[in-house]
Amino acid sequence: MGERETELQTFLKTYREEIRESAVGLLSGEMPALSRDAFDLYEQNGNRTVYQGLYFPRRMFLAVLGMEAILEKEETGTVEFTVLFKLCEVIEGICGEDTWALPAHLNRKGNPGWRETVDLFAAETAQTLSELLDRLRDFLPEKVKDRMEAEISRRVLEPYYFSEVPYAGWEVGNSNWTAVCAGSIGSAVIHLSKAGRRLPKPLTECLDRVCAALPYYFQSFTDDGACMEGLQYYTYGMIYFANFAWELKKLTGKNLFQRPDIAAFPAKCFFPDGVSLSFSDGSSSDTFRVGLQALQAMEYGDVEFPAMERAAGLHSDSCYRFAGLKMDWFATLEYLRREEEKEGNGRSEEALGRAGKGYHFHILPSAQWCIGCAKDGTGFACKGGHNGESHNHNDIGHLIYEADGVLFLTDLGAGEYDREYFSENRYRAICNHSFGHSVPILNGQGQREGAAYRCTAFSADVKERPEKCPGLETAGQTSAAGVGTVRMEIGSAYSLSEEGKPLEGKAIVREICFDLENGKAKITDRFDLGEDHDVTENLVTQIAPVIEEPRVYLEQNGAKAVIEAEKLPGMAVPEIMVTEYDHRNHQGGAEKVYGIRWQVPLEMGRGVSSFTIRRI
């Protein structure tokens, strides 16, 4: 038995204990009641948190007790009365909700049928109830099953299948919405059909409409398999695509699994110490769903698993998405069974696809991302792209630098989701504004939002020696592992005109060298702006910096790094300043952010700024 299989068996054992323990705890608990006052808050002041703080714990009751009942049936052929009784009580409560959709996705004033809006969470609820009805059909009372069927049909299936294409923008949209909504609906009709329940239209017709929508979802991925929305949104969408595709293949033989490059994406998004890539509305403390990776490994062969320390558990997802929780058990179990059948065929440990071993420099040219790890464990990432991406931040040329689990140069990821966050005021939030990213500032202004503002040229490579990056040598030694190099033309992310015309791409060129031996990085910015302007370097951290010009020291939890601004010939030592910001993170918590800045000297609009960062 290989290392991966041993880890997965341990995961399943722990996961089963977690489900049982949590289910027992819920038996004596009560679901929180949904409040109309809480529902109204979004329309009144844009607050999502209060209502969702009631809504998602209700989905926890449904998912955890549902999983416990299903696993009891699988293990013993029966379901404990207390579990089944409580589950039926929860199902009745869910079926009695005014709407399954969330306030942020509704139009109560303009849509008289707003209660039957099919959004992400209405579709997910339909999927969950349909699968529970199918898997527990021999145990649930007929009255409860009839209510489940009626509510699923009334709230989700009928509004969708009795509408013209597209039902809403998500049906032909290039985002995770298409995968979640269409995948949930497709799964729901499969389970209702298996349970002998009524569908609004023939099964084949229902499935065909879902299958016609899903290609739009794949248009959201780059040609190298990257999800520009970030790892968190990748996982969200892929759970529902993969779940439906898995069920469809078992039912009909039709194979929707056609993109192995997409399956390889999650493992690229973790640094060896467990920090995750937080570009866009992502998170530096993200997890991966074991069942999703197991399912993709079965479909595509050698798919890397991130380190199991970053595996999501039962309570990692505060929305308690049942499809992901279910796959973590059944897909992982099926994967292990298949691997047992392969025992003795001479598989090597290398074929196990372990992520995060050794050093690497992943280059994703279509996404314009690079993700590297040095031999000493230092992590690095940078991005180009454009400022009209889904869940966009104005971050062209931005970079991350981390080691020992500490983000020295950070990406703040998602801020607090409220109405303002998805309005025309989105870029007032520091996490979305380019001031909240490690990119230059021109005339006191940041980058502009919109697809016109972009990285116009991107190239990356790994070179054996760092001759083109003088200053990377440490104590006279050159890199034995090589140097990852990146060149980005990022001028077109900015505008200096009142009309908002993007600058020439070559007006600002960012060159990065990352030593794959010792983790030292050198960043050189070249400016050719035609005439003198005020240009400031801006590096972003959440560690209070200590300045000893031209150096800046960062220390957290015993991990240390130093930034050194290069003194140009004939120029004074750069005067380093710190700007402090208040930031509200995705959970609504208050945090401090620091912008480390120094002015770039220009002559006739031309100048060079160079700095290094290394752990110490």
Side-chain angles (χ1 to χ4, degrees):
M1 181 182 296
E3 180 184 355
R4 179 198 281 175
E5 286 78 6
T6 300
E7 289 180 334
L8 292 180
Q9 285 189 340
T10 300
F11 167 80
L12 285 180
K13 182 177 183 295
T14 302
Y15 188 48
R16 180 66 186 98
E17 292 170 352
E18 192 176 18
I19 291 170
R20 179 60 181 167
E21 181 180 341
S22 297
V24 169
L26 294 178
L27 292 177
S28 58
E30 294 296 328
M31 286 199 306
L34 294 179
S35 160
R36 176 55 64 92
D37 289 341
F39 190 95
D40 293 344
L41 281 177
Y42 180 78
E43 293 177 355
Q44 293 168 0
N45 60 25
N47 183 286
R48 293 184 176 200
T49 306
V50 175
Y51 183 78
Q52 291 177 185
L54 303 172
Y55 181 98
F56 289 122
R58 294 170 67 86
R59 292 327 185 251
M60 174 186 68
F61 273 81
L62 183 66
V64 172
L65 290 168
M67 281 297 298
E68 176 62 26
I70 289 170
L71 295 183
E72 285 182 11
K73 186 201 80 168
E74 294 288 320
E75 294 161 356
T76 68
T78 188
V79 181
E80 291 182 21
F81 174 78
T82 54
V83 172
L84 188 63
F85 182 86
K86 186 67 174 184
L87 177 60
C88 289
E89 178 185 283
V90 168
I91 290 171
E92 290 283 4
I94 300 293
C95 287
E97 292 176 353
D98 205 17
T99 178
W100 288 346
L102 291 185
H105 304 151
L106 297 173
N107 179 10
R108 290 201 290 181
K109 293 181 179 179
N111 178 15
W114 60 269
R115 289 178 175 83
E116 289 77 41
T117 298
V118 183
D119 75 337
L120 298 165
F121 302 103
E124 290 174 30
T125 303
Q127 190 282 325
T128 304
L129 291 175
S130 299
E131 185 155 1
L132 293 178
L133 193 161
D134 176 21
R135 290 184 178 272
L136 299 173
R137 60 181 179 268
D138 295 332
F139 301 93
L140 292 171
E142 202 64 33
K143 179 181 177 182
V144 173
K145 291 188 289 187
D146 289 345
R147 180 82 188 276
M148 295 166 77
E149 176 191 315
E151 296 300 332
I152 293 164
S153 184
R154 177 178 70 85
R155 297 170 184 263
V156 175
L157 300 188
E158 290 177 5
Y160 178 66
Y161 284 114
F162 292 151
S163 71
E164 297 293 326
V165 177
Y167 163 79
W170 61 254
E171 191 171 6
V172 291
N174 304 333
S175 77
N176 62 74
W177 272 71
T178 308
V180 174
C181 295
S184 291
I185 291 170
S187 177
V189 297
I190 286 174
H191 285 289
L192 289 176
S193 174
K194 289 171 62 179
R197 292 283 160 168
R198 181 181 61 88
L199 299 178
K201 292 187 176 182
L203 177 61
T204 300
E205 189 175 340
C206 290
L207 296 176
D208 285 347
R209 181 163 177 177
V210 168
C211 289
L214 289 173
Y216 291 99
Y217 167 58
F218 284 97
Q219 292 176 18
S220 67
F221 292 89
T222 63
D223 291 343
D224 34 38
C227 173
M228 303 306 288
E229 295 179 291
L231 176 62
Q232 194 168 22
Y233 283 97
Y234 167 92
T235 301
Y236 189 12
M238 283 304 295
I239 281 171
Y240 285 94
F241 163 76
N243 180 62
F244 169 69
W246 187 32
E247 294 172 344
L248 181 71
K249 188 175 181 181
K250 288 185 175 182
L251 182 70
T252 69
K254 185 173 183 176
N255 186 6
L256 301 182
F257 293 99
Q258 303 294 333
R259 292 287 303 271
D261 56 332
I262 292 175
F265 179 70
K268 296 175 182 176
C269 292
F270 287 94
F271 298 114
D273 54 27
V275 171
S276 52
L277 201 60
S278 52
F279 290 154
S280 186
D281 275 356
S283 167
S284 61
S285 57
D286 213 341
T287 56
F288 75 99
R289 294 243 72 110
V290 173
L292 176 60
Q293 282 310 92
L295 178 55
Q296 294 188 117
M298 287 189 285
E299 292 298 330
Y300 296 121
D302 185 24
V303 172
E304 290 185 346
F305 281 59
M308 289 299 292
E309 290 80 8
R310 301 307 306 154
L314 179 64
H315 299 293
S316 298
D317 174 14
S318 61
C319 298
Y320 291 89
R321 297 176 176 98
F322 180 79
L325 300 177
K326 179 274 304 270
M327 279 200 298
D328 276 353
W329 181 263
F330 287 103
T332 305
L333 198 61
E334 184 171 329
Y335 171 83
L336 285 172
R337 287 170 180 163
R338 292 191 188 187
E339 292 303 298
E340 286 178 5
E341 294 172 0
K342 296 177 183 177
E343 283 289 322
N345 69 356
R347 287 181 306 136
S348 68
E349 283 295 312
E350 183 179 357
L352 290 177
R354 299 286 303 165
K357 300 287 187 180
Y359 60 95
H360 60 260
F361 197 70
H362 296 304
I363 301 170
L364 286 72
S366 295
Q368 296 188 342
W369 288 11
C370 285
I371 309 157
C373 175
K375 278 188 174 182
D376 71 345
T378 303
F380 164 84
C382 66
K383 72 180 297 294
H386 63 79
N387 283 337
E389 296 162 355
S390 185
H391 288 268
N392 176 67
H393 295 186
N394 288 343
D395 59 356
I396 307 309
H398 175 54
L399 55 104
I400 295 171
Y401 190 89
E402 69 85 45
D404 300 320
V406 174
L407 285 158
F408 295 107
L409 296 182
T410 190
D411 188 300
L412 299 171
E416 182 181 14
Y417 280 7
D418 57 16
R419 185 169 56 195
E420 291 294 287
Y421 197 86
F422 293 100
S423 75
E424 66 276 6
N425 297 322
R426 175 180 179 86
Y427 296 97
R428 292 183 181 180
I430 189 62
C431 60
N432 301 329
H433 198 289
S434 66
F435 287 4
H437 296 84
S438 295
V439 297
I441 297 171
L442 271 60
N443 292 348
Q445 302 296 312
Q447 297 179 3
R448 301 286 188 98
E449 63 268 17
Y453 304 96
R454 60 177 54 240
C455 172
T456 51
F458 179 95
S459 60
D461 197 2
V462 177
K463 301 186 183 300
E464 292 184 2
R465 290 287 182 269
E467 287 87 356
K468 292 189 176 182
C469 293
L472 278 187
E473 300 87 65
T474 301
Q477 297 179 351
T478 57
S479 174
V483 175
T485 65
V486 186
R487 183 183 184 277
M488 295 182 275
E489 295 179 6
I490 65 173
S492 292
Y494 299 83
S495 176
L496 294 175
S497 70
E498 292 183 3
E499 301 81 20
K501 180 181 178 181
L503 288 172
E504 293 275 340
K506 291 182 181 179
I508 307 174
V509 176
R510 169 158 281 189
E511 296 174 343
I512 302 171
C513 296
F514 178 66
D515 193 316
L516 292 169
E517 184 75 25
N518 57 43
K520 185 177 181 181
K522 181 175 182 179
I523 296 87
T524 302
D525 291 334
R526 305 181 188 280
F527 300 89
D528 189 355
L529 303 175
E531 58 185 63
D532 282 346
H533 293 275
D534 181 72
V535 177
T536 306
E537 284 289 8
N538 179 60
L539 304 179
V540 177
T541 184
Q542 289 190 277
I543 303 170
V546 176
I547 300 173
E548 296 180 12
E549 293 171 343
R551 297 180 181 87
V552 180
Y553 293 91
L554 303 172
E555 181 177 356
Q556 186 177 83
N557 299 332
K560 302 177 183 180
V562 60
I563 301 167
E564 183 167 0
E566 182 177 294
K567 179 183 177 297
L568 299 176
M571 298 292 180
V573 173
E575 182 181 351
I576 298 172
M577 303 162 288
V578 175
T579 302
E580 186 175 307
Y581 299 98
D582 293 318
H583 166 58
R584 296 195 72 82
N585 63 28
H586 193 51
Q587 292 72 39
E591 296 180 350
K592 292 293 183 183
V593 179
Y594 305 94
I596 302 168
R597 296 180 176 180
W598 64 89
Q599 194 161 21
V600 179
L602 300 180
E603 281 191 25
M604 301 298 293
R606 294 184 176 180
V608 177
S609 172
S610 185
F611 61 94
T612 59
I613 180 169
R614 60 184 174 86
R615 64 194 301 192
I616 54 177

